[in-house]
Amino acid sequence: MIASGKICTILVKKGLISRQKAAEALKREQKVRDILVQKRDSMKKGGSGLNSVDTPISFIDVLLALKIERDDRPGKTLDEDLLYETISDALGLPYKKIDPLKLDLNLVTKTIPKTFAMKHLLLPIEMKEGNLVVATSDPLNRDAVIDVERATGLKVTPVVSSKSDIKKMISEFFGFKQSISAAEDHFSQKGIELKNLEHYVSLSSADELPSTDQHIVNAVNHLFTYSFEQRASDIHIEPKRETSLVRMRIDGILHTVYTLPKKVHNAVLSRIKTLSGLNMAEKRRPQDGRIKTEKDGVEVEIRVSTIPVAFGEKAVMRIMDPDVLFQNLENIGFEGEDFLKYHNMIKMPHGIILVTGPTGSGKSTTLYSTLRKLSTPEINIVTIEDPIEMIHEDFNQIAVQPAIDVTFATILRNILRQDPDIIMVGEIRDLQTAQSAVQAALTGHLVLSTLHTNDTVSSVTRLLDLGIPPFLLHSSLTGIIAQRLVRGICPNCIESFDMEMEELQSLGIRISDSRPGKVVLKRGKGCVECRHTGYKGRRGVFEVLPYTEELKKNTTADVDLSALRKAASKTGFASLRQRAVVKMLRGETTYQEVLRVTWEQEDY
């Protein structure tokens, strides 16, 4: 363990603290150590998993407990990552911020025993060029490293990581592995295992591990907690021929998190079905349900969908976080001019406003945020959804139930007798729903709905293709917005770089006032905060099209999409690509994201 005096010397040389603060910390060291030891022992008696083994109290723990203010950044205190990174740099060792998404469950849990890992705070994190990379909070503990080399027969490369990260990963990974292993041991193989579609008819659930088994309960609870920590929007549990994959979508990108034994797949699915109120015995038909749970004291709804695939049942759980679904409209990504246009549209007393875009483009967030902005005690808001994504007591929400003929179209006719002011229709899918929405708009209601089209202008032709006459569109359609989500540049590692204007144009990114030369853009270098992706969080990109007189003139039964786009461009309309380029030039996203999410329309 590094001597207290040496740590103080390193911190003083780096300009993080003064000599006086270092001397004061050394003076108070023993008293603080005694307090920390008492706290650790009391937690151990209380049965805390993290403290079931006596982990050593270091001088860094003392410094963190003292909450010493930094000299280089007044108002900020010394934090754990900074201390370990500074000390590792002074010792000439690499510092590693542990990314749980990149850890291999088997490597972490099968290389060394949990008690040894916790006692010495060692965590195997990867195999690199035949060497075992092990994270440690005590780089001078060579004896423990040598023990690992002897036990594994591998050359160990130590890297420095923070103590709390190592303890957390040991607890979570060993705990999850223990639950999965215990569940696997309990699983009986007497019956026929769910392998593929041919076996569906002859399957029996008699030999499956019960979903109430404590190990399975713990494993599923861990998956939910873990997804919240990683800011995941979706959890996928996918059966394969020999294994079961757990993947999580973070900032729009899927990451493989765990590979589970196939034996426990059915039990995990059964547990999820139990929580979401689905039929555990039904494995041949798709099912939909929901789970209500808690994240940081706030209620969170998880929408569950199961469907039969080649090797069993797949479950996808979408996490409906109220912090994401209900936002201030001003902050979700509208440009100033577009926000004014959209604000004017939603303030109209009647008419249809359409929100378009593919699945996962943020349409629900836009609609819910709009409804919350419009909601007052004087207004009756009614929604028809399939399914209800997030329950909000200010709205009267109705779930579509096709089995009993409660569809978008049939319920819309009944809603008009409920004295609504604003109606939200989850999606316009067919002529009947479109006609009902038009009638609601013509009878003095504001109707908000979604449509699956690529952009705003093609939504007009889509409604015509469904069978809505042009004259009804003229009198009922107020406006359309299309949207996408681009990943934002990580603020912790953002940097500037120059790019030739000609290169941007060759890629399809055109800047209106472009002149030959270079343009300054932003990107993320990659850091521990963004898992070295350079991106963190997502931002909305919007295309707003009020349905003006110019567009109405061009909307005929045999309208040409190209002519409509040209008419839209005459009204000062900006496309998704143009709006994304604005965000790129402002340093909010990268040109790669602009190219990934949007496309160039020659007609504009």
Side-chain angles (χ1 to χ4, degrees):
M1 196 172 290
I2 307 172
S4 307
K6 187 173 182 179
I7 292 175
C8 285
T9 302
I10 292 170
L11 297 178
V12 171
K13 280 185 178 179
K14 291 286 185 180
L16 295 175
I17 60 173
S18 64
R19 292 183 181 276
Q20 291 81 2
K21 288 178 181 176
E24 179 65 22
L26 289 170
K27 182 180 177 182
R28 299 175 62 186
E29 178 183 2
Q30 191 55 51
K31 186 176 181 181
V32 175
R33 275 185 185 275
D34 292 341
I35 294 171
L36 292 176
V37 168
Q38 288 177 7
K39 185 177 179 182
R40 181 193 66 189
D41 293 345
S42 65
M43 291 180 72
K44 183 181 174 183
K45 289 177 183 176
S48 172
L50 282 172
N51 293 277
S52 57
V53 178
D54 283 340
T55 54
I57 301 296
S58 70
F59 184 61
I60 292 180
D61 297 322
V62 173
L63 292 173
L64 292 171
L66 290 172
K67 296 181 180 177
I68 299 172
E69 185 177 355
R70 293 169 59 174
D71 279 16
D72 61 330
R73 295 183 67 181
K76 297 277 187 179
T77 58
L78 294 174
D79 64 70
E80 191 176 19
D81 284 322
L82 175 68
L83 287 171
Y84 279 102
E85 190 170 3
T86 303
I87 291 164
S88 64
D89 182 59
L91 295 175
L93 290 171
Y95 176 77
K96 178 81 173 177
K97 178 69 175 176
I98 300 172
D99 182 356
L101 294 180
K102 293 180 179 177
L103 294 182
D104 183 279
L105 181 66
N106 289 327
L107 180 69
V108 171
T109 57
K110 291 185 176 180
T111 309
I112 56 178
K114 180 182 179 182
T115 51
F116 182 86
M118 187 61 82
K119 181 177 181 181
H120 297 285
L121 293 175
L122 294 172
L123 183 75
I125 56 176
E126 64 176 322
M127 289 295 298
K128 193 172 184 180
E129 298 174 355
N131 291 351
L132 178 65
V133 181
V134 175
T136 175
S137 63
D138 184 7
L140 300 186
N141 188 2
R142 283 293 305 164
D143 291 341
V145 171
I146 291 170
D147 286 342
V148 174
E149 287 182 332
R150 287 173 180 165
T152 61
L154 297 168
K155 177 70 176 173
V156 171
T157 302
V159 296
V160 180
S161 296
S162 69
K163 181 178 179 179
S164 63
D165 276 357
I166 292 173
K167 289 177 70 175
K168 188 170 187 289
M169 292 304 114
I170 291 173
S171 177
E172 288 188 355
F173 275 73
F174 276 94
F176 184 66
K177 181 65 178 179
Q178 186 177 4
S179 296
I180 293 298
S181 297
E184 188 179 10
D185 290 342
H186 287 170
F187 191 90
S188 169
Q189 286 197 298
K190 295 175 188 173
I192 302 170
E193 188 178 350
L194 182 60
K195 278 281 187 182
N196 53 39
L197 294 172
E198 289 88 335
H199 291 134
Y200 277 171
V201 177
S202 59
L203 281 176
S204 169
S205 60
D207 294 307
E208 291 180 7
L209 187 68
S211 62
T212 53
D213 181 89
Q214 189 57 46
H215 303 299
I216 290 298
V217 170
N218 292 340
V220 172
N221 288 349
H222 170 81
L223 286 180
F224 289 144
T225 305
Y226 193 54
S227 66
F228 296 154
E229 290 176 358
Q230 301 303 318
R231 300 180 296 108
S233 60
D234 300 85
I235 308 170
H236 294 234
I237 301 178
E238 306 175 2
K240 303 299 179 185
R241 190 180 298 277
E242 303 296 339
T243 60
S244 178
L245 289 185
V246 178
R247 301 200 289 170
M248 293 183 185
R249 189 177 295 279
I250 302 168
D251 290 339
I253 306 297
L254 274 173
H255 300 264
T256 299
V257 178
Y258 295 124
T259 301
L260 306 181
K262 184 65 177 290
K263 296 175 185 178
V264 303
H265 177 81
N266 290 348
V268 170
L269 260 289
S270 294
R271 174 62 181 168
I272 290 166
K273 285 182 173 183
T274 300
L275 292 172
S276 54
L278 301 182
N279 182 356
M280 284 193 293
E282 180 56 77
K283 300 179 185 295
R284 298 168 298 170
R285 293 189 179 91
Q287 295 188 72
D288 293 305
R290 61 196 317 117
I291 301 168
K292 179 165 274 191
T293 184
E294 188 178 276
K295 183 189 86 168
D296 299 330
V298 178
E299 280 190 354
V300 173
E301 292 196 31
I302 300 171
R303 205 170 72 195
V304 180
S305 171
T306 64
I307 196 164
V309 293
F311 297 109
E313 270 189 297
K314 175 180 175 178
V316 175
M317 291 163 282
R318 171 156 288 189
I319 300 166
M320 314 306 295
D321 189 339
D323 292 336
V324 174
L325 277 176
F326 296 101
Q327 298 187 35
N328 290 326
L329 277 179
E330 296 88 342
N331 301 330
I332 63 175
F334 282 105
E335 297 301 322
E337 183 183 348
D338 287 341
F339 178 74
L340 288 176
K341 289 179 182 177
Y342 185 60
H343 187 266
N344 290 336
M345 284 159 52
I346 64 176
K347 287 299 182 183
M348 296 290 286
H350 55 81
I352 297 175
I353 299 170
L354 295 174
V355 181
T356 72
T359 301
S361 60
K363 299 189 299 295
S364 296
T365 295
T366 300
L367 285 172
Y368 274 120
S369 300
T370 301
L371 291 178
R372 192 174 72 167
K373 183 177 180 66
L374 295 174
S375 176
T376 66
E378 295 81 26
I379 289 178
N380 178 21
I381 296 176
V382 182
T383 74
I384 316 165
E385 303 174 60
D386 182 20
I388 296 173
E389 297 201 20
M390 175 64 70
I391 294 172
H392 193 287
E393 60 183 19
D394 290 348
F395 315 147
N396 298 289
Q397 296 167 282
I398 302 164
V400 167
Q401 300 178 71
I404 55 173
D405 199 33
V406 178
T407 64
F408 286 122
T410 57
I411 202 67
L412 256 172
R413 294 195 295 269
N414 293 284
I415 277 179
L416 295 179
R417 293 192 286 273
Q418 288 285 314
D419 188 29
D421 296 293
I422 298 171
I423 301 169
M424 195 268 274
V425 182
E427 184 184 347
I428 293 178
R429 299 173 180 169
D430 50 41
L431 175 60
Q432 195 178 5
T433 306
Q435 287 175 330
S436 299
V438 167
Q439 290 301 318
L442 291 175
T443 51
H445 304 90
L446 182 65
V447 180
L448 287 85
S449 187
T450 67
L451 198 65
H452 281 288
T453 55
N454 287 326
D455 61 3
T456 51
V457 177
S458 58
S459 300
V460 177
T461 57
R462 171 69 176 148
L463 291 172
L464 292 173
D465 290 342
L466 283 175
I468 300 297
F471 72 91
L472 284 181
L473 275 187
H474 296 167
S475 52
S476 61
L477 187 59
T478 298
I480 311 160
I481 70 169
Q483 67 180 91
R484 298 292 188 277
L485 293 174
V486 294
R487 288 183 291 172
I489 299 172
C490 174
N492 297 291
C493 61
I494 190 169
E495 66 173 5
S496 300
F497 71 101
D498 295 335
M499 193 167 181
E500 292 291 342
M501 194 73 74
E502 290 180 3
E503 186 180 353
L504 274 177
Q505 290 180 345
S506 70
L507 292 170
I509 297 178
R510 300 180 184 181
I511 302 172
S512 57
D513 60 346
S514 62
R515 289 182 290 272
K518 295 183 177 180
V519 61
V520 179
L521 301 177
K522 303 282 188 181
R523 65 187 171 198
K525 289 187 293 186
C527 65
V528 294
E529 293 292 328
C530 62
R531 301 188 184 88
H532 298 282
T533 62
Y535 298 101
K536 191 172 184 181
R538 291 189 286 177
R539 289 155 176 72
V541 178
F542 295 88
E543 179 180 286
V544 180
L545 181 67
Y547 194 53
T548 60
E549 291 300 323
E550 180 72 23
L551 287 168
K552 290 176 183 178
K553 289 176 187 175
N554 286 273
T555 305
T556 59
D558 56 350
V559 65
D560 178 55
L561 187 58
S562 179
L564 261 184
R565 286 190 175 129
K566 287 175 182 175
S569 63
K570 292 177 184 177
T571 65
F573 167 81
S575 68
L576 281 166
R577 168 62 62 88
Q578 291 166 336
R579 287 310 187 204
V581 168
V582 170
K583 291 189 184 298
M584 176 194 75
L585 294 175
R586 207 159 46 217
E588 294 181 22
T589 192
T590 63
Y591 75 89
Q592 292 95 333
E593 280 295 286
V594 173
L595 294 171
R596 182 180 72 88
V597 172
T598 65
W599 69 101
E600 190 176 36
Q601 294 283 7
E602 293 293 337
D603 298 328
Y604 295 144

